[in-house]
Amino acid sequence: MPLAFRSLLRHSCWLRWQKKYSTLANTAPKDMHDESLQHFRTGESNPVNHNEQHLHRFYTIPSDITKILFQTSGMPKSFYNQINTFNECSILIRNPATEIISYLEQTDYSRPMNKYVLHGKYGTGKTITLMHILHYAFTKEMITVHVPTPNIWFRFPKETSNFDKTPGIIDLPIDAGKWLLYFKCQNNNLLSKLDLKVSKDYEWTKREKTTSGSSLLEMIEFGINRVRYASCVIDALLNELKEAGIAGKCKVLAAMDAYNAFWSDYTTIRNDDKVTVSPKQISLTPIFTNFLKADWCNGVAVAVVDITACKDRRESDHPRYLLGKDGFEHLDPFIPIQVENYTKSEFESAMEYYKERKWVRNISSNGLTELWTLTNGHPFELMKICATL
């Protein structure tokens, strides 16, 4: 056989083999053909695809998405420090997150909004579960109305003033302006793509107003630049999102951490008579709590209740106790989802992740058993014990 012909034949066989192999590689699960992937990680970074097969494994949120969703807030400070140390935002895929994702995938958004409440002991990972849900919403191109720390507003407000719109109500203009900036950062690209318009005229002063047909981004920019009217702009923005949802122009996720702070009786804010006011007398409280009324569609709400959100209710972590009678009835009906301590499998994955990041070194099986005994699988306790000195 001529040498040139044999060479051509070998090349043809190699091409056929390469085509067959590449087809199999593209159809196989990501974890199957990535030999470098550790067993406690998954290469599936799209939360839409997360299910029971991915439980107890870490996935990494791409850095560009992390900067959009959590640039200024939205995660515990200790977790933020860990992300900076490890130079990646990796989240353990747990049952509460996959359960909510499965519900959202099956939701009929033409019906009134469904509500889910994450509850559990402090430090079990409720906020990080909410981060997982926010990444899912971002991937599904849902507008996110994320309120990360309302309890901080009531304890350490940047500035207080009387609310011009309603006598006897205290306004937090700087905090409202910062939240608008946070909302814009999370949703800027999607709002530009959807090109949502204002449905009616809004008059802020005799000279300044937002006319019908203006873009929502234009109204948001006004609230950021003129923080005196930021709370009124938030009120108008949320009403416009409701109308857009009813019209089927968009889908919206309302994600509210420390939600029971809105229904607490504790603040450090005083009125002109030096009398401490309750959260109900703060301008932002009715604006955000009314957004969770089931009077619109193409929306879904995920709220977190936690004992650290209010000082006056800390004896139990059950939603009925933390929300109080008014808060519970306002949110009802909802589906409660408990976030618990790590299972043994989740604990082992967390320790393998720490070892892979060189955060924990040369630990024996007895050392792992001691850590499990000391923490009882409590995520925050494990993070503290494994933290740097």
Side-chain angles (χ1 to χ4, degrees):
M1 184 182 293
L3 181 62
F5 181 76
R6 280 185 295 178
S7 177
L8 181 64
L9 183 62
R10 284 198 301 269
H11 182 67
S12 176
C13 292
W14 180 82
L15 286 176
R16 286 199 300 271
W17 176 85
Q18 186 187 47
K19 182 178 181 181
K20 180 180 179 180
Y21 178 80
S22 63
T23 303
L24 289 173
N26 289 332
T27 57
K30 290 185 179 180
D31 300 345
M32 297 295 292
H33 63 264
D34 191 348
E35 297 179 357
S36 64
L37 202 63
Q38 301 289 344
H39 68 275
F40 58 89
R41 286 183 182 268
T42 174
E44 183 55 77
S45 61
N46 187 345
V48 177
N49 300 326
H50 289 164
N51 52 43
E52 293 81 3
Q53 297 177 357
H54 303 97
L55 287 175
H56 312 162
R57 301 165 80 180
F58 282 86
Y59 89 101
T60 302
I61 303 178
S63 58
D64 56 334
I65 296 178
T66 303
K67 289 178 182 178
I68 292 172
L69 289 177
F70 312 110
Q71 184 175 22
T72 58
S73 186
M75 65 180 73
K77 185 177 180 180
S78 55
F79 189 68
Y80 176 80
N81 293 336
Q82 179 176 289
I83 288 173
N84 287 337
T85 302
F86 295 162
N87 199 29
E88 65 175 17
C89 182
S90 291
I91 291 178
L92 184 63
I93 301 172
R94 306 183 67 193
N95 187 68
T98 57
E99 183 179 351
I100 292 179
I101 287 173
S102 69
Y103 293 155
L104 297 184
E105 283 292 288
Q106 301 171 62
T107 297
D108 181 1
Y109 287 94
S110 64
R111 303 274 184 178
M113 69 185 300
N114 292 332
K115 306 171 194 175
Y116 306 92
V117 174
L118 292 167
H119 69 98
K121 296 186 182 301
Y122 169 71
T124 52
K126 298 181 291 295
T127 298
I128 296 175
T129 298
L130 191 64
M131 291 173 61
H132 196 163
I133 304 302
L134 283 164
H135 185 201
Y136 165 85
F138 179 86
T139 305
K140 295 287 284 188
E141 294 192 331
M142 299 175 71
I143 294 175
T144 55
V145 178
H146 182 206
V147 183
T149 53
N151 52 323
I152 300 300
W153 294 343
F154 305 144
R155 295 182 192 178
F156 311 105
K158 300 296 182 184
E159 181 182 296
T160 62
S161 64
N162 292 319
F163 193 39
D164 295 336
K165 187 177 179 180
T166 309
I169 298 296
I170 303 298
D171 191 25
L172 309 178
I174 295 179
D175 291 302
K178 288 181 66 177
W179 185 86
L180 279 174
L181 186 61
Y182 180 61
F183 175 85
K184 181 188 174 185
C185 179
Q186 286 187 322
N187 299 279
N188 187 51
N189 294 335
L190 184 56
L191 288 174
S192 299
K193 179 180 177 180
L194 295 174
D195 194 25
L196 298 178
K197 304 294 184 181
V198 175
S199 62
K200 63 180 182 180
D201 293 343
Y202 292 95
E203 186 173 327
W204 315 112
T205 67
K206 291 182 178 180
R207 294 183 178 180
E208 298 170 304
K209 64 179 181 178
T210 301
T211 58
S212 175
S214 302
S215 69
L216 276 186
L217 280 172
E218 182 180 330
M219 185 171 69
I220 293 167
E221 281 290 346
F222 172 78
I224 294 170
N225 296 325
R226 301 277 278 133
V227 293
R228 178 180 176 182
Y229 306 102
S231 295
C232 293
V233 169
I234 294 175
D235 190 23
L237 170 65
L238 299 188
N239 287 330
E240 290 294 336
L241 289 178
K242 278 188 175 185
E243 293 297 325
I246 293 171
K249 297 178 180 179
C250 63
K251 289 184 174 65
V252 183
L253 168 70
M256 301 198 183
D257 207 343
Y259 178 74
N260 51 308
F262 288 122
W263 302 99
S264 168
D265 293 323
Y266 176 80
T267 70
T268 60
I269 300 171
R270 297 186 177 188
N271 58 20
D272 292 340
D273 298 325
K274 306 300 180 183
V275 176
T276 303
V277 300
S278 70
K280 296 177 183 177
Q281 297 169 280
I282 307 297
S283 60
L284 294 174
T285 297
I287 293 173
F288 284 111
T289 56
N290 287 338
F291 190 61
L292 265 58
K293 287 183 177 179
D295 55 358
W296 56 293
C297 59
N298 278 309
V300 64
V302 181
V304 174
V305 293
D306 190 81
I307 60 171
T308 60
C310 54
K311 280 194 170 183
D312 51 338
R313 297 193 191 106
R314 292 196 168 182
E315 285 73 26
S316 171
D317 53 54
H318 291 177
R320 175 62 179 82
Y321 174 77
L322 290 175
L323 289 167
K325 181 177 182 294
D326 292 341
F328 187 88
E329 291 179 352
H330 183 88
L331 203 56
D332 193 52
F334 61 84
I335 298 175
I337 296 177
Q338 186 174 11
V339 183
E340 300 179 295
N341 287 354
Y342 284 154
T343 63
K344 195 64 180 292
S345 177
E346 290 173 331
F347 169 81
E348 290 170 354
S349 292
M351 292 310 302
E352 287 297 321
Y353 178 72
Y354 282 149
K355 288 193 285 185
E356 189 247 5
R357 294 281 94 188
K358 303 296 187 291
W359 194 243
V360 173
R361 291 187 173 191
N362 303 323
I363 187 168
S364 65
S365 58
N366 289 336
L368 291 174
T369 302
E370 184 175 350
L371 278 176
W372 172 255
T373 305
L374 284 172
T375 63
N376 195 28
H378 190 272
F380 185 60
E381 285 298 320
L382 181 64
M383 183 183 290
K384 283 199 303 182
I385 290 177
C386 294
T388 182
L389 296 177

